[in-house]
Amino acid sequence: MKLTKVEKIPLADIKLGEEEVAAVAAVLRSGWLSMGPKTGEFEQRFKEFLGIKHAFAVANGTAALHLACEAVGLKEGDEVLCPALTFVASANAILYTGARPVFIDINGPHDLNLSVADAAAKVTERTRAIMVVHYGGYPCNMDGVRALAAKYDLKIIEDCAHAPGAVYHSQDGPQMAGTIGDVGCFSFFANKNMTTGEGGMVVTKDDLLAERIRIMRSHGMTTLTWDRHKGHSFSYDVVARGYNYRLDEMRAALGIVQLNHLEEGNSRRRELTLKYWASLADLDQIQAPFHHGPEGSSYHIFPILLKDRELRAPFMAALAQRGIQTSIHYPPVHTFSYNQLFWPRGFDYQLPITEAVAHREVTLPLFPTMNLTQFQTVIAAIRDFCR
Ligand SMILES: Cc1ncc(COP(=O)(O)O)c(C=O)c1O
């Protein structure tokens, strides 16, 4: 008997075509590989896309978050409100500055974004900022976050790793994720809605913050190699202890092409998400967060919650057996052992909703090139498991 190969259905997949190959090849042929005109063009295109004054391409999303934390002036002894249901990079970026994250609970199984009420309850005289994470590309309650920030004079950093192209419908009208707070941070890691392999972007409307980000991205230097190459400048000063968080020209070229396809990819993600919601609606063992939420997501991932935490391992194993890759977003940051290192004097880590929900979460495959057969295979595997 001839065995048919089981098709593997990945959690995420990227679409790269001849356009990307040509863009990168053109950079290689140009002979200028480090940050220069392509990076400038990428930043310009990203600014236009978001409708924001400043954008700085950086080496990755974590570097973007670190620069944001530095730019708003975080330092030793400061506290930053931050959800625990995020990738560890959000919390790490705060720690790099000497400040400490104070973890905030989520709204509930219907909305995995941070609870503004819990954030308000955790403000102390040391709180300087709030880092919001638009989980899965679903925008947080930014009107609530802005009111809280205004009340306690907090800076707002938006972790938009999941949210390029997401739109928040605020009381003042629609606003792009990343442009609502003081600084917005994007990741172009390989599993993101648009990718440069590794890469990121920091955006802000504030001239002062922009100047600090520009300088800190490149060693605290006042001029860049490209400026000197073009004869715009012959020397430089160093005005701060900066970093090398620059992006290179190959990745910038890739980013320009990927940005052109972002909206098309996001709308395909939306179609698939609506289809998932419709196909899973009658299963009582499965809940779909954000299902009744507002429009405007960038639909980065498709999270579901199983009825019981004990079901998660057998559920993921059953799907894996059919070649379907699943994942968990996220093991909450406050449950990691190293957490004890930065709260040595103890901290009330009880985040009851995060804890109740996180253990039941599974992320299903979602990517723009997912075809009907792949989609139906996932649904059939879930239905068989739930029978
Ligand atoms: C929510 C969140 N924040 C930050 C990051 C860090 O981005 P990067 O991997 O580009 O450093 C990621 C992605 O991995 C993420 O998902």
Side-chain angles (χ1 to χ4, degrees):
M1 190 179 75
K2 198 171 156 214
L3 287 173
T4 48
K5 195 167 150 258
V6 181
E7 192 201 4
K8 294 264 185 275
I9 304 176
L11 183 72
D13 202 6
I14 46 176
K15 192 174 165 195
L16 295 175
E18 286 310 310
E19 235 186 306
E20 278 90 348
V21 172
V24 174
V27 169
L28 295 176
R29 287 194 191 97
S30 80
W32 189 272
L33 306 189
S34 59
M35 193 169 80
K38 271 289 157 201
T39 309
E41 187 184 332
F42 183 31
E43 291 170 342
Q44 183 58 34
R45 299 289 302 282
F46 208 79
K47 278 192 277 190
E48 287 163 10
F49 174 65
L50 290 187
I52 197 157
K53 194 166 176 197
H54 305 281
F56 300 92
V58 291
N60 53 63
T62 311
L65 290 167
H66 183 194
L67 287 176
C69 289
E70 287 258 350
V72 302
L74 294 181
K75 57 179 185 333
E76 187 99 32
D78 292 345
E79 292 178 1
V80 181
L81 304 164
C82 171
L85 196 66
T86 183
F87 185 54
V88 67
S90 320
N92 278 347
I94 296 166
L95 287 171
Y96 297 159
T97 65
R100 287 190 290 194
V102 171
F103 294 114
I104 304 304
D105 216 341
I106 56 172
N107 287 306
H110 60 292
D111 176 355
L112 309 185
N113 275 322
L114 68 77
S115 152
V116 175
D118 193 46
K122 288 181 173 146
V123 172
T124 71
E125 73 278 6
R126 291 178 297 278
T127 312
R128 296 284 169 271
I130 177 164
M131 182 180 287
V132 303
V133 179
H134 302 296
Y135 180 107
Y138 295 87
C140 294
N141 167 10
M142 293 305 288
D143 287 334
V145 167
R146 272 203 304 210
L148 180 75
K151 183 166 177 194
Y152 295 104
D153 192 21
L154 309 179
K155 295 290 184 193
I156 303 172
I157 298 171
E158 292 181 73
D159 180 341
C160 300
H162 298 185
V167 178
Y168 174 64
H169 294 278
S170 90
Q171 57 206 16
D172 307 326
Q175 288 177 295
M176 300 292 284
T179 67
I180 309 161
D182 295 280
V183 192
C185 302
F186 294 83
S187 163
F188 307 134
F189 183 63
N191 63 5
K192 297 296 190 274
N193 288 32
M194 59 174 282
T195 183
T196 58
E198 297 277 3
M201 192 76 78
V202 197
V203 305
T204 183
K205 44 189 171 292
D206 184 305
D207 295 343
L208 216 64
L209 292 179
E211 190 52 16
R212 282 196 220 155
I213 293 163
R214 190 180 68 75
I215 291 205
M216 296 306 279
R217 170 176 65 171
S218 195
H219 305 288
M221 290 162 68
T222 51
T223 66
L224 300 169
T225 316
W226 177 250
D227 298 324
R228 293 191 295 281
H229 174 77
K230 295 297 282 178
H232 297 323
S233 177
F234 300 101
S235 186
Y236 59 85
D237 189 13
V238 173
V239 292
R241 182 214 55 186
Y243 308 94
N244 178 357
Y245 280 165
R246 296 183 304 261
L247 193 74
D248 61 55
E249 294 286 274
M250 290 77 79
R251 289 187 246 181
L254 204 49
I256 293 167
V257 181
Q258 287 275 300
L259 181 57
N260 287 338
H261 297 298
L262 177 67
E263 281 179 312
E264 176 197 328
N266 285 358
S267 76
R268 177 70 186 136
R269 287 172 188 276
R270 179 176 180 275
E271 260 172 50
L272 288 162
T273 299
L274 298 183
K275 227 165 134 60
Y276 262 133
W277 282 336
S279 312
L280 301 174
D282 63 319
L283 299 172
D284 347 307
Q285 293 96 324
I286 288 174
Q287 263 178 297
F290 302 110
H291 188 169
H292 301 291
E295 284 279 316
S297 178
S298 55
Y299 304 95
H300 172 52
I301 52 172
F302 186 77
I304 57 164
L305 303 178
L306 299 171
K307 205 167 168 193
D308 298 306
R309 59 198 288 172
E310 289 73 29
L311 290 174
R312 182 156 76 179
F315 178 89
M316 292 177 80
L319 268 64
Q321 256 198 337
R322 302 220 189 164
I324 302 164
Q325 189 189 9
T326 56
S327 181
I328 295 168
H329 288 85
Y330 288 94
V333 180
H334 73 294
T335 61
F336 293 135
S337 7
Y338 105 125
N339 167 50
Q340 297 306 320
L341 296 175
F342 56 87
W343 281 109
R345 282 176 283 113
F347 179 76
D348 177 8
Y349 281 125
Q350 278 179 2
L351 301 170
I353 310 174
T354 300
E355 281 156 27
V357 163
H359 296 286
R360 299 196 283 125
E361 196 274 341
V362 176
T363 305
L364 300 179
L366 178 67
F367 47 93
T369 53
M370 188 177 194
N371 63 36
L372 192 62
T373 314
Q374 290 173 318
F375 180 82
Q376 284 167 342
T377 306
V378 178
I379 298 297
I382 295 173
R383 289 197 159 276
D384 286 349
F385 181 86
C386 292
R387 231 187 292 157

